[in-house]
Amino acid sequence: MNKHLQHYFVAVQHPEVSGFEMLDMLMIRDKLANQYEALTTEERQRLSATDRQLVLHAAQFNTELSQVTELSSERERRMPAPEQWWWFLDVLATMPINAMIVDGSVVAA
């Protein structure tokens, strides 16, 4: 399995880790976005499942991240594209909908 995908998968399974580790996880997710075309079908499925877990626990991840940074400040600095939805966990955490990932994008369920 792709080493970045493995790192991301493990990180999402532990939303109680430090905000610094979560920030690292978001940067790893950027790397996975850049490598998406090179991922196998199985790896893409694992990525999609892991993304769904991240969205489902967006509020918890955002709480820990807010201990070390504000995602709005990170967005100003990093200028993520809308497709890099993981940099918007603070926004997702406030949405009163169930969300899921389809082809790398967050959509209402």
Side-chain angles (χ1 to χ4, degrees), residues 46-78:
R46 171 65 68 95
L47 178 60
S48 182
T50 305
D51 283 345
R52 282 191 295 277
Q53 287 299 310
L54 180 60
V55 170
L56 288 172
H57 300 287
Q60 188 174 1
F61 282 102
N62 185 56
T63 298
E64 294 303 321
L65 277 162
S66 68
Q67 302 296 317
V68 298
T69 190
E70 293 298 323
L71 284 176
S72 59
S73 298
E74 292 294 331
R75 286 192 298 273
E76 285 178 23
R77 208 174 96 232
R78 297 171 188 279

